[in-house]
Amino acid sequence: MRPLHHPAIDDIEMTSVLYALADPVRLGIVRSLSRDHPVSCVGACIDEELPRATLSRHFDVLRSAGLVNTVKSGTQYLNTLRCDDLERRFPGLLRAILAGAGGSQPARKSPAKLATKPVAKVPARGRRAEASRTPPAKARA
């Protein structure tokens, strides 16, 4: 496994921090990390139905922005918020963002909303439809 990259305090950029916090899932993760001690990636997630690969990507964005510190502990990765580093770099920024986002918890999708109706297939008609069904290799020959 490649080592995890954590930017130095002087390398943390405001645009990266704001980009990372613009996503409601990542903002929810940061909010949950601000309340707890080191938490695993799954433990910090607000949406239980989020695929692990997506969750991993969210933590990668947070880590690259300098918001999260991740340490491997056994088979888990434990995450903490870099509050002190962010306070030194941008005084009051994280506190203001978390206070402003305190009442806007990202909405969870209910199972009823996740279920979608199957889309009826429209039967293909005519030569044009037949040509669209042939693989590209045969169409060129």
Side-chain angles (χ1 to χ4, degrees), residues 1 3 18 32 82 88 99 102 115 117 119 125-126 133:
M1 294 221 33
L18 294 177
S32 71
R82 293 178 65 180
R88 267 187 257 138
K117 293 181 181 178
V119 178
R125 296 182 194 164
R133 281 193 251 150

Side-chain angles (χ1 to χ4, degrees), residues 3-98:
L4 299 173
H5 172 71
H6 297 89
I9 296 172
D10 293 334
D11 294 337
I12 299 173
E13 297 178 6
M14 174 81 74
T15 54
S16 298
V17 171
L18 294 177
Y19 170 79
L21 294 174
D23 185 273
V25 173
R26 289 192 291 264
L27 181 60
I29 290 170
V30 168
R31 216 176 330 169
S32 71
L33 287 174
S34 71
R35 290 182 230 132
D36 295 326
H37 48 286
V39 179
S40 69
C41 294
V42 175
C45 184
I46 56 171
D47 186 1
E48 296 86 20
E49 296 176 4
L50 203 60
R52 286 184 184 253
T54 304
L55 186 59
S56 177
R57 176 68 184 142
H58 283 305
F59 273 97
D60 186 43
V61 170
L62 291 170
R63 194 171 29 258
S64 297
L67 287 160
V68 173
N69 186 37
T70 305
V71 180
K72 185 164 183 166
S73 175
T75 59
Q76 297 185 67
Y77 287 94
L78 298 178
N79 302 282
T80 55
L81 197 56
R82 293 178 65 180
C83 294
D84 295 337
D85 295 343
L86 289 164
E87 188 62 29
R88 267 187 257 138
R89 181 77 169 130
F90 307 111
L93 176 69
L94 187 61
R95 211 173 325 118
I97 290 173
L98 291 175

